[in-house]
């Protein structure tokens, strides 16, 4: 299938979808190497660093399913335009933040705007393409959004070292402006839709995640006995329980019946552990290599470049292998290889040497991640019929974001209060365990899809 097979409108749709989602995924990781500079200038130490990441992930994770409903109800182009404008304004607010509170509020607004962009981007592709063209469009979208997450730390490091951490966010205005111009040229029919938006589910999910994460981040400062900790924590758990109870029907925002489909349910459980490990590893590497090992922000961003290179070289091939032999073996071996890579980080010592102590771990992690991502996505989405592929993708995306959200919220507990050498080693152990659990879960639960009979 060649690019020439795409119509002009379809090429425009892919460009818009990629650009709109690129900034959302980029801002999830670009901040990691900027965290030391942010806390140095604004204050607040590790708590500010945690909230700079989690304020974004809370609203992005909690609202992404609701945003899918909004996109269906009010039109993909309209919702995307609102999301782009809001993301641009909130990005400027982050870049101009003068204290931790303004930074955190603006990051939360960024996440909410980002939630509007991801579902509407995919919906544009699925609404304008079918069959192989649709698979091609989604493949291009996935490749660019994955690349955004992987190159984020490098771009963040360059901005921090040569300009300012503020430009990490201010630069978003450029791709957003380009996307708005392209969007103005898109002519798609928007029909009235009789779709109910479940606002209550969205509120319960957002409130639940916010309460639990607040308690996890602030408890090292105030203690579990403090009413300022346990009251939000308990309310958060109750809200999340209410959210799950509300999802029991087929017309809900997140149909729980989908999780009874074997590969979908077990695949999302594996996603929870694997992406928790990835988020923990990315956060710790970005911060410790600067604060503990004394590297520049750019060097800290370059540290994970081998993972990006290996993903580019191996991911498509791993997807083809998984199609031939089934996803189970790759979803098992890949995370176990990454667990070994995390354990290699235990060689990091006070006498720091990137080439012998970090690079081998990055190479092993890159190989394991390359074997895991495409088979994992194929197993989860391949288990669901095409009519519900949109909600299945949104659920998997939300679970991966919640995994990162929770593990970063628990960072102080994981590292023992400080991200020194001992804390770094503690994080490496926890990362390895999470990866290993992801591999074991995949071996237990994932099965090779049964090919559909060919019609004669």
């Amino acid at each position: 299938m060649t690019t020439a097979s795409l119509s002009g409108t379809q090429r425009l749709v892919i460009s818009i979808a990629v650009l709109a989602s690129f900034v959302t995924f980029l801002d999830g990781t670009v901040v990691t190497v900027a965290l030391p500079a942010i806390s140095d200038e604004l204050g607040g130490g590790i708590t500010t660093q945690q909230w700079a990441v989690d304020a974004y992930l809370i609203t992005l994770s909690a609202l992404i399913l609701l945003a899918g409903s909004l996109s269906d109800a009010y039109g993909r182009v309209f919702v995307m335009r609102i999301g782009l404008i809001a993301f641009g304004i909130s990005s400027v607010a982050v870049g101009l933040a003068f204290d931790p509170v303004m930074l955190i509020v603006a990051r939360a607004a960024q996440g909410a705007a980002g939630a509007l962009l991801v579902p509407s981007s995919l919906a544009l592709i699925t609404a304008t393409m079918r069959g192989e063209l649709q698979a091609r469009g989604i493949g291009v979208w996935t490749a660019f959004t994955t690349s955004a997450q992987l190159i984020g730390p490098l771009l963040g490091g360059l901005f921090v070292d040569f300009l300012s951490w503020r430009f990490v966010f201010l630069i978003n205005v450029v791709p957003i402006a380009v996307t708005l111009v392209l969007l103005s040229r898109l002519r798609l029919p928007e029909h009235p839709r009789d779709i109910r938006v479940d606002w209550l589910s969205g509120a319960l999910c957002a409130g639940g995640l916010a309460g639990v994460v607040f308690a996890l981040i602030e408890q090292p400062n105030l203690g579990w006995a403090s009413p300022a900790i346990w009251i939000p924590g308990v309310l958060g758990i109750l809200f999340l329980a209410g959210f799950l109870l509300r999802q029991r029907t087929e017309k809900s925002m997140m149909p729980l019946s989908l999780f009874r489909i074997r590969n979908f349910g077990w695949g999302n459980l594996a996603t929870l552990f694997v992406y928790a490990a990835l988020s923990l590893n990315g956060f710790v590497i970005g911060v410790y290599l600067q604060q503990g090992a004394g590297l520049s922000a750019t060097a800290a961003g370059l540290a994970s470049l081998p993972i990006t290179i290996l993903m580019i070289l191996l991911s498509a091939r791993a997807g083809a292998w998984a199609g031939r032999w089934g996803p189970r073996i790759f979803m098992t071996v890949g995370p176990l290889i990454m667990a070994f890579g995390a354990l290699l980080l235990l060689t990091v010592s006070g006498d720091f040497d990137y080439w012998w102590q970090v690079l081998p771990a990055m190479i092993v992690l890159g190989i394991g991640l390359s074997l895991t991502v495409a088979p994992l996505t194929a197993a989860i989405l391949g288990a669901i019929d095409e009519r519900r592929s949109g909600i299945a993708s949104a659920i998997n995306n939300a679970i991966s974001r919640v995994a990162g959200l929770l593990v970063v919220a628990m960072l102080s507990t994981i590292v023992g209060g400080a991200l020194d050498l001992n804390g770094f080693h503690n994080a490496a152990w926890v990362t390895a365990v999470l990866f290993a659990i992801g591999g074991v879960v995949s071996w237990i639960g994932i099965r090779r899809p049964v090919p559909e009979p060919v019609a004669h």
Side-chain angles (χ1 to χ4, degrees):
M1 182 63 61
T2 63
T3 305
S5 301
L6 296 168
S7 69
T9 298
Q10 289 169 335
R11 285 194 293 270
L12 181 60
V13 163
I14 291 177
S15 299
I16 291 169
V18 165
L19 278 171
S21 298
F22 189 87
V23 291
T24 303
F25 286 92
L26 185 69
D27 267 44
T29 58
V30 73
V31 70
T32 54
V33 294
L35 294 173
I38 290 172
S39 61
D40 286 346
E41 183 172 334
L42 301 183
I46 195 171
T47 301
T48 294
Q49 294 176 348
Q50 287 174 282
W51 275 115
V53 174
D54 272 358
Y56 182 82
L57 290 177
I58 284 174
T59 49
L60 179 64
S61 306
L63 299 178
I64 198 166
L65 296 176
L66 178 63
S69 300
L70 291 173
S71 176
D72 289 339
Y74 297 107
R76 287 93 187 214
V77 173
F78 174 75
V79 170
M80 180 178 286
R81 185 175 287 116
I82 296 298
L84 287 166
I85 293 170
F87 201 93
I89 293 171
S90 56
S91 294
V92 172
V94 175
L96 299 178
F98 51 77
D99 65 13
V101 174
M102 180 177 177
L103 175 84
I104 291 163
V105 171
R107 282 287 283 170
Q110 247 193 334
L116 295 176
L117 297 178
V118 176
S120 55
S121 298
L122 278 172
L124 277 178
I125 293 175
T126 57
T128 55
M129 301 172 207
R130 290 291 183 270
E132 293 183 27
L133 285 179
Q134 185 182 97
R136 177 182 175 83
I138 293 175
V140 172
W141 183 89
T142 302
F144 275 94
T145 53
T146 301
S147 298
Q149 296 177 80
L150 294 173
I151 67 173
L154 173 57
L155 290 179
L158 290 170
F159 281 121
V160 170
D161 283 341
F162 297 104
L163 292 169
S164 164
W165 66 265
R166 298 179 183 276
F167 283 91
V168 170
F169 304 100
L170 294 175
I171 196 65
N172 287 335
V173 174
V174 175
I176 287 171
V178 172
T179 311
L180 283 170
V181 171
L182 293 176
L183 198 61
S184 68
R185 299 177 181 174
L186 185 64
R187 297 291 182 267
L188 290 178
E190 294 280 10
H191 304 292
R193 297 171 175 86
D194 184 21
I195 295 176
R196 182 180 63 88
V197 178
D198 192 353
W199 295 99
L200 180 56
S201 287
L204 287 171
C205 185
L209 288 174
V212 170
V213 169
F214 177 86
L216 290 172
I217 290 179
E218 297 295 338
Q219 70 84 18
N221 301 323
L222 302 176
W224 288 112
S226 170
I229 297 299
W230 66 260
I231 290 178
V234 170
L235 287 176
I237 292 171
L238 291 175
F239 283 174
L240 288 175
F243 169 76
L244 292 175
L245 287 173
R246 192 171 171 81
Q247 307 312 301
R248 291 178 299 174
T249 65
E250 282 295 323
K251 294 183 179 180
S252 64
M253 195 167 74
M254 188 183 77
L256 296 182
S257 60
L258 290 178
F259 290 92
R260 291 198 290 269
I261 300 171
R262 186 176 185 112
N263 278 9
F264 184 83
W266 284 92
N268 275 295
L269 184 59
T271 295
L272 185 71
F273 289 105
V274 169
Y275 277 84
L278 287 172
S279 298
L280 177 60
N281 185 70
F283 187 105
V284 169
I285 289 288
V287 174
Y288 178 78
L289 292 189
Q290 293 178 74
Q291 294 184 337
L295 299 186
S296 66
T298 302
L302 282 168
S304 58
L305 187 60
I307 297 178
T308 306
I309 294 172
L310 287 166
M311 283 285 292
I312 293 171
L313 294 175
L314 300 177
S315 287
R317 192 166 298 176
W321 290 338
R324 186 181 308 165
W325 295 310
R328 185 189 188 197
I329 186 66
F330 298 96
M331 290 174 60
T332 301
V333 173
L336 293 178
I337 290 175
M338 286 190 283
F340 176 66
L343 291 177
L344 288 177
L345 291 172
L346 295 173
T347 60
V348 172
S349 65
D351 186 17
F352 181 78
D353 187 311
Y354 170 80
W355 300 105
W356 294 105
Q357 297 174 0
V358 178
L359 180 59
M362 296 297 103
I363 293 173
V364 173
L365 284 165
I367 293 171
L369 187 60
S370 300
L371 293 176
T372 303
V373 173
L376 176 65
T377 304
I380 291 171
L381 297 186
I384 305 298
D385 64 78
E386 189 176 350
R387 292 179 298 105
R388 298 193 290 180
S389 61
I391 188 62
S393 176
I395 290 171
N396 183 244
N397 198 290
I399 286 173
S400 66
R401 302 291 165 259
V402 169
L405 169 71
L406 294 177
V407 78
V408 172
M410 297 173 64
L411 183 69
S412 289
T413 302
I414 291 170
V415 303
L419 194 44
D420 52 17
L421 183 58
N422 287 334
F424 182 81
H425 286 171
N426 289 341
W429 278 110
V430 173
T431 300
V433 170
L434 290 170
F435 277 135
I437 294 174
V440 171
V441 164
S442 297
W443 180 255
I444 294 172
I446 299 298
R447 294 293 179 267
R448 184 171 185 172
V450 178
E452 295 183 7
V454 178
H456 295 285

